[in-house]
């Protein structure tokens, strides 16, 4: 169980990075390298939780941020997004990393790299979701987000 959860976190981070880079190229965003590294860091808070308390974290881990964040808050009184932002602050990472982490689970910024990070996370979650019934609503959300905030069709994506 521990190895599966750890691997899922790593897979999600790598997928977000790769998808962010591809989406950046589709919309002609010039800083795709920043997005690649930001994608790797979006789940850094999950890794910190995992390293701090692997058994406890594995019991509540879910690939879908919407389900995971409330469980993290209940268990640890914080979530992986807040923890990731604090990690970046502590090590003086550039602001775009913090912004990408802050916006990967819930979009609260209109900055282009935030929108790309958010949609990339949604797509990564869809690709990693094993339950077919859970995929349909995620797919519908992605379809809306790609049109609305990236101005891309699903065919483009």
């Amino acid at each position: 169980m521990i190895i599966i959860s750890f691997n899922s976190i790593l897979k999600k981070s790598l997928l977000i990075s790769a998808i962010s880079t591809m989406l950046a190229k589709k919309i002609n965003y010039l800083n795709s390298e920043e997005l690649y590294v930001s994608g790797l860091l979006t789940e850094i808070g999950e890794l910190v939780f995992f390293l701090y308390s692997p058994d406890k974290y594995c019991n509540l881990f879910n690939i879908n941020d919407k389900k995971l964040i409330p469980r993290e808050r209940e268990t640890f009184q914080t979530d992986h997004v807040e923890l990731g932002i604090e990690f970046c602050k502590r090590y003086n990472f550039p602001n775009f990393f913090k912004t990408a982490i802050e916006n990967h689970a819930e979009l609260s910024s209109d900055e282009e790299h935030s929108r790309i990070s958010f949609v990339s996370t949604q797509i990564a979650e869809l690709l990693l979701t094993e339950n077919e019934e859970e995929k349909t609503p995620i797919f519908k959300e992605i379809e809306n987000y790609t049109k609305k905030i990236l101005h891309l069709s699903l065919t483009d994506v």
Side-chain angles (χ1 to χ4, degrees):
M1 178 74 167
I2 289 177
I3 291 175
I4 292 169
S5 297
F6 185 75
N7 285 342
S8 294
I9 295 167
L10 294 179
K11 279 182 193 177
K12 186 175 177 186
S13 296
L14 289 168
L15 273 172
I16 293 168
S17 291
I19 295 166
S20 293
T21 304
M22 288 187 282
L23 289 176
K25 290 177 182 172
K26 281 280 185 192
I27 64 170
N28 298 317
Y29 181 74
L30 299 177
N31 296 320
S32 61
E33 298 84 17
E34 289 177 359
L35 281 167
Y36 185 81
V37 178
S38 294
L40 291 174
L41 288 174
T42 55
E43 306 301 343
I44 192 73
E46 289 182 8
L47 290 174
V48 171
F49 275 139
F50 182 83
L51 294 171
Y52 172 74
S53 185
D55 292 328
K56 191 185 283 189
Y57 198 67
C58 284
N59 288 331
L60 62 100
F61 180 75
N62 188 305
I63 205 70
N64 187 321
D65 281 337
K66 290 178 186 86
K67 293 180 181 180
L68 179 60
I69 289 173
R71 294 156 89 178
E72 290 172 338
R73 288 181 183 148
E74 184 179 312
T75 304
F76 297 106
Q77 287 68 54
T78 191
D79 60 58
H80 73 274
V81 175
E82 292 172 356
L83 197 55
I85 292 167
E86 287 304 313
F87 180 88
C88 287
K89 285 179 184 176
R90 180 169 189 176
Y91 294 102
N92 298 315
F93 284 27
N95 278 335
F96 65 86
F97 290 128
K98 291 181 266 191
T99 304
I101 291 169
E102 183 176 42
N103 287 279
H104 85 278
E106 185 177 320
L107 188 60
S108 61
S109 169
D110 196 36
E111 294 179 61
E112 203 161 34
H113 70 274
S114 296
R115 293 182 302 184
I116 295 168
S117 178
F118 177 74
V119 172
S120 299
T121 300
Q122 305 307 306
I123 294 170
E125 288 178 359
L126 173 69
L127 294 173
L128 294 170
T129 297
E130 294 177 4
N131 183 326
E132 290 300 318
E133 289 178 15
E134 289 181 20
K135 286 185 176 189
T136 302
I138 297 171
F139 184 81
K140 294 277 187 206
E141 285 182 7
I142 291 169
E143 186 175 30
N144 290 334
Y145 292 137
T146 55
K147 286 178 186 174
K148 187 175 173 181
I149 63 177
L150 293 180
H151 311 292
L152 295 172
S153 69
L154 282 180
T155 306
D156 293 333
V157 174

